[in-house]
């Protein structure tokens, strides 16, 4: 994976746009493993099985009971786009996600409303909430694609509508109240809350495409949004370019050919 372009705002050097090009190796190795594990919350299944390992239920039954892998309808292009975005943010932007959102869904197959990216970035007193939106556009060949206008509106809401971010912070609060105080999730939450009180947090706009890299995908929305931000809010716009058509994404995730490599 490489950086194809980087856009910087003339007045806000802490806000930028970055275009990442995935390699074929990234796709063939990552889709059947990292992406698939995130879509089906493999880690969550392992946690549930381990929590009941000393009961009368055998692990094979528990694995079958809690696993989501039989629900192939979870493998949607837009879900893959969200998974890719989270993986890129973790690996290259050090964003921490303590909770897979699929665990909140009574029906994992439903299209869940709400903000796509909810995590943390930074360390110590610099820890902040990281909120954002993901748009996946395999069918639209325009630059920028039409969905970028909707993304801009959603990101504006995270800045201008007070209850949008407060509801996200309340949502996270219920996650941490049941955890030990020294759990990293709790530590991140308290530190990020202190930053939010100073009106400091991060926004991410992530675009996932199967087109050639083009800085016009991000340029206009980056410039437009930065001009609407408070000086304490940082924006990163990210485009992720996948070198395979979208129907192959689903095939690779479903096949799992590269697991264990």
């Amino acid at each position: 994976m490489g950086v194809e372009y980087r856009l910087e705002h003339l007045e806000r050097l802490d806000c930028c746009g970055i275009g990442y090009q995935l390699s074929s190796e990234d796709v063939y190795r990552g889709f059947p493993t990292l992406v698939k594990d995130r879509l089906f919350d493999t880690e969550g299944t392992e946690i549930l099985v381990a929590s009941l390992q000393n009961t009368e239920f055998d692990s094979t039954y528990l694995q079958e009971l809690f696993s989501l892998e039989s629900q192939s309808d979870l493998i949607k292009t837009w879900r893959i786009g969200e998974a890719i975005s989270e993986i890129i943010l973790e690996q290259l932007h050090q964003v921490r996600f303590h909770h897979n959102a699929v665990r909140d869904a009574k029906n994992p197959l439903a299209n869940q409303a709400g903000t796509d990216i909810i995590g943390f970035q930074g360390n110590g007193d610099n820890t902040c909430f990281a909120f954002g939106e993901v748009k996946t556009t395999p069918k639209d060949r325009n630059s920028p694609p039409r969905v970028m206008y909707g993304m801009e509106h959603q990101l504006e809401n995270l800045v201008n509508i007070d209850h949008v971010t407060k509801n996200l912070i309340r949502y996270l609060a219920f996650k941490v109240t049941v955890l030990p105080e020294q759990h990293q999730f709790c530590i991140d939450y308290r530190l990020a809350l202190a930053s939010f009180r100073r009106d400091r947090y991060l926004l991410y706009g992530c675009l996932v495409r199967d087109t050639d890299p083009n800085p016009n995908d991000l340029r206009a929305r980056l410039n437009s949004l930065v001009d609407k931000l408070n000086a304490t809010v940082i924006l990163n716009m990210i485009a992720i370019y996948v070198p395979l058509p979208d129907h192959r994404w689903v095939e690779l995730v479903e096949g799992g050919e590269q697991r264990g490599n």
Side-chain angles (χ1 to χ4, degrees):
M1 175 171 49
V3 175
E4 288 294 312
Y5 59 82
R6 183 181 179 91
L7 306 172
E8 294 185 352
H9 193 274
L10 294 177
E11 297 179 3
R12 288 287 307 274
L13 297 181
D14 54 345
C15 298
C16 66
I18 305 175
Y20 293 109
Q21 173 69 69
L22 299 187
S23 68
S24 294
E25 183 178 3
D26 293 328
V27 175
Y28 282 107
R29 286 187 175 274
F31 276 47
T33 54
L34 297 177
V35 172
K36 185 172 185 176
D37 287 346
R38 194 166 298 250
L39 286 180
F40 292 118
D41 190 21
T42 302
E43 179 187 40
T45 298
E46 292 171 352
I47 291 171
L48 292 174
V49 172
S51 70
L52 293 171
Q53 64 181 354
N54 295 322
T55 66
E56 68 273 22
F57 302 106
D58 65 83
S59 59
T60 301
Y61 170 76
L62 294 172
Q63 180 71 31
E64 182 180 352
L65 177 66
F66 294 128
S67 176
L68 298 175
E69 289 202 22
S70 63
Q71 302 181 55
S72 59
D73 285 348
L74 280 170
I75 311 176
K76 302 291 189 183
T77 300
W78 64 270
R79 291 183 183 274
I80 293 173
E82 290 183 1
I84 296 169
S85 297
E86 288 190 359
I87 291 167
I88 296 295
L89 291 180
E90 283 181 337
Q91 293 182 350
L92 300 181
H93 294 258
Q94 291 74 56
V95 175
R96 296 182 292 280
F97 298 101
H98 294 293
H99 181 77
N100 191 322
V102 76
R103 300 175 195 175
D104 294 321
K106 293 180 180 178
N107 178 8
L109 300 178
N111 188 347
Q112 303 300 311
T115 303
D116 299 322
I117 300 296
I118 306 176
F120 304 89
Q121 188 183 55
N123 297 292
D125 292 339
N126 292 320
T127 303
C128 294
F129 293 115
F131 301 133
E133 299 293 343
V134 179
K135 298 295 182 185
T136 305
T137 62
K139 306 299 183 188
D140 188 345
R141 300 300 174 188
N142 297 309
S143 290
R146 288 180 292 273
V147 296
M148 293 302 287
Y149 299 95
M151 179 190 288
E152 180 175 8
H153 176 69
Q154 289 174 304
L155 293 175
E156 283 180 7
N157 288 344
L158 286 167
V159 176
N160 297 326
I161 301 180
D162 194 44
H163 69 258
V164 174
T165 48
K166 286 185 176 179
N167 285 345
L168 295 175
I169 293 170
R170 186 177 190 271
Y171 160 83
L172 289 172
F174 281 109
K175 306 295 181 189
V176 302
T177 53
V178 298
L179 298 173
E181 287 190 3
Q182 294 309 308
H183 193 286
Q184 190 60 49
F185 196 166
C186 296
I187 294 171
D188 279 346
Y189 183 85
R190 291 194 299 269
L191 291 169
L193 190 60
S195 293
F196 186 80
R197 189 176 182 181
R198 302 191 299 272
D199 199 29
R200 186 171 185 274
Y201 56 100
L202 293 99
L203 293 180
Y204 281 95
C206 299
L207 173 68
V208 184
R209 311 196 72 183
D210 61 353
T211 61
D212 292 331
N214 189 332
N216 289 332
D217 289 339
L218 301 181
R219 182 178 283 114
R221 304 282 71 77
L222 173 68
N223 291 331
S224 175
L225 279 164
V226 168
D227 292 340
K228 301 170 185 177
L229 296 181
N230 296 332
T232 50
V233 178
I234 298 172
L235 170 69
N236 287 317
M237 301 290 290
I238 293 172
I240 303 166
Y241 299 94
V242 182
L244 288 178
D246 67 298
H247 70 272
R248 290 287 291 129
W249 305 4
V250 174
E251 292 171 3
L252 282 172
V253 172
E254 191 170 29
E257 299 96 330
Q258 295 295 322
R259 180 173 296 280
N261 286 359

